[in-house]
Amino acid sequence: MAIMFDHPPHPSHAVKDDPKVAEPRDPHDIPTFDSTSLTLPKQPVLYLPPLLSSLPAKIPAQPVSSIYPPLVTETRLPDIDPASLSLHKALHHFRPLNRDYAALPYADAFNWSELALPSEDEREWYCVVFRSKRKAGSDGGSLYEADRKAHEEAVSNGGLILYWYGIPNQETGLNLATCIWQSRKHAIAANSRPHHIRAMRLAAESYEIYDLERYVLRKLVGQPGVTVEAFAGGEVGW
C-alpha cells in the first residue's frame, strides 16, 4: 500500500469559489483555509491547485501559470529523471474536470488528455488513488498533522511527483486524493516510514469509507499525451 492522504499537507491552500454562491467574491481575492475549513468548506469548490513536489536544487525553477499556479512543497525531491521532469512540468496544469470528480473513474476525473510531454519521452509512473468518506464527528486535527508530516517525509525520501488532496463533496461527503510516483518501488518504500505509519493508523480510525486503487500512467514515444490504465501487477517505473 502506498502513502496516501485525505487532507492537504499544508494549512493554507488556494481555491476558486463557485460563481453561483449567494455572496460572490472577487476570484483574485484568494481565501486561506485551515484544516477544518478544508474538510468542511463553506462554499463549493470548482478549482483546486495541484501540489507538486519541489524540484532538486540543481534544477532551475520552472515557469508557472499566473492564473492557476500550482502549489509546491517546502521539501525538495533529492532527484528526478528527465521524463519525470517533463511530467512535473505538464502537471502544473493538472485539474479535475468537474465538481463530481471524486465519484468518477480515475481516467475520467482529471484532464489527462490536456497533459502534453515531449514526443521522444517514453516512461510509466505509478499512481495511487484514495477514495474516502470521513466518519461523522471524527477528529481531523491529529490526522491532518500526521498527513502533513508523512507528505514531507515522502518528498524528502524521493519519488513523489504530485499529491492531489481533494476536498470532500459537500453533498455526498466522498473525497478522492491521489499520488503520482516515479516508481512503484518509491511508493512501497514510503510505507515503512514512521510518519506514514502513524498517519495510516489514525486514518483507520477516522474513515467510514477507505478504498485504495492503483494505476499506471503511461507515455509512449512518438505520442505527446499520456494514458491511464489499471495496475495489473509487476514493477512500474524505476
Side-chain angles (χ1 to χ4, degrees), residues 143-210:
L143 179 59
Y144 173 80
E145 180 63 15
D147 285 349
R148 183 190 65 80
K149 291 180 178 178
H151 179 262
E152 294 293 335
E153 177 183 66
V155 176
S156 64
N157 283 285
L160 182 58
I161 300 175
L162 172 142
Y163 169 42
W164 171 268
Y165 49 84
I167 286 182
N169 183 289
Q170 287 187 309
E171 296 179 0
T172 66
L174 293 176
N175 196 24
L176 183 158
T178 185
C179 288
I180 299 178
W181 296 86
Q182 286 177 253
S183 75
R184 183 169 177 260
K185 288 182 178 179
H186 281 106
I188 292 174
N191 291 344
S192 62
R193 304 297 181 184
H195 289 304
H196 170 75
I197 291 173
R198 172 169 169 73
M200 297 306 289
R201 286 174 178 169
L202 290 172
E205 304 170 356
S206 302
Y207 293 101
E208 177 182 332
I209 297 174
Y210 187 100

Side-chain angles (χ1 to χ4, degrees), residues 59-72:
I59 297 178
Q62 305 298 313
V64 299
S65 167
S66 60
I67 301 177
Y68 295 136
L71 300 171
V72 295

Side-chain angles (χ1 to χ4, degrees), residues 84-97:
S84 293
L85 177 58
S86 295
L87 177 64
H88 188 284
K89 294 177 182 178
L91 288 171
H92 281 62
H93 308 287
F94 185 73
R95 62 180 177 82
L97 292 179

Side-chain angles (χ1 to χ4, degrees), residues 55-56 58-59 77-88 121-125 159 161 181-183 186 237-238:
L55 295 171
K58 63 183 179 182
I59 297 178
L77 288 168
D79 52 56
I80 190 169
D81 62 275
S84 293
L85 177 58
S86 295
L87 177 64
H88 188 284
D121 284 351
E122 182 159 308
R123 180 78 153 79
E124 57 185 20
W125 299 271
I161 300 175
W181 296 86
Q182 286 177 253
S183 75
H186 281 106
W238 58 84

